Amino acid sequence: MHTDFIDRYIAIWHEPDAARRRQLVAALWTEDAAHFTRNIAVHGHDEITARVGRAYTEFVGSGGYRFRPRGPAEEHHAGVRFAWEMVPAAGGAAAGAGTTFLALADDGRIRLEYQFSDPSPA
């Protein structure tokens, strides 16, 4: 059910154009949304757009990685959970992986996002 939504979410992390990223963030996150990782807490469109831009620069733009979903998303009331992985764009084993939980607002946009990274392989 949320395949298109997850595809649009993943596409944001690959978007090279900053203005387009800002538009995509506004379309998927509420104005007062929050995004959390173990070390990061950002709030609102400006901070989320900056967070996505930093990840793009570090991992996609200069790092040569791509993000992709791992398996289907799972919906539970107004929440969506999906697994993801970061793989070299040229192919090869995943360099990182994790799970994201999204709490959705009544309009279907992301209100809260919790991103969990799996431990790095030894």
Side-chain angles (χ1 to χ4, degrees):
M1 174 177 189
H2 284 285
T3 302
D4 178 61
F5 184 83
I6 299 303
D7 289 346
R8 289 186 296 131
Y9 171 90
I10 295 283
I12 288 174
W13 301 88
H14 299 134
E15 177 55 56
D17 181 79
R20 180 73 179 132
R21 269 196 307 267
R22 179 172 293 285
Q23 291 172 340
L24 294 170
V25 165
L28 284 181
W29 279 269
T30 62
E31 290 78 5
D32 61 345
H35 166 92
F36 303 102
T37 71
R38 178 181 299 276
N39 301 315
I40 297 170
V42 297
H43 301 85
H45 287 173
D46 289 344
E47 291 182 12
I48 292 169
T49 299
R51 155 75 171 124
V52 173
R54 286 188 303 273
Y56 172 83
T57 299
E58 181 177 352
F59 299 113
V60 178
S62 64
Y65 292 101
R66 303 291 293 167
F67 295 98
R68 66 182 182 198
R70 260 188 325 166
E74 182 179 10
E75 179 184 11
H76 191 297
H77 292 83
V80 177
R81 177 181 70 170
F82 68 97
W84 53 268
E85 60 187 359
M86 182 178 74
V87 297
T99 303
T100 296
F101 176 78
L102 307 170
L104 304 179
D106 290 341
D107 66 2
R109 292 187 296 162
I110 301 164
R111 186 174 55 82
L112 296 170
E113 175 181 358
Y114 297 90
Q115 198 176 87
F116 301 88
S117 294
D118 293 346
S120 298

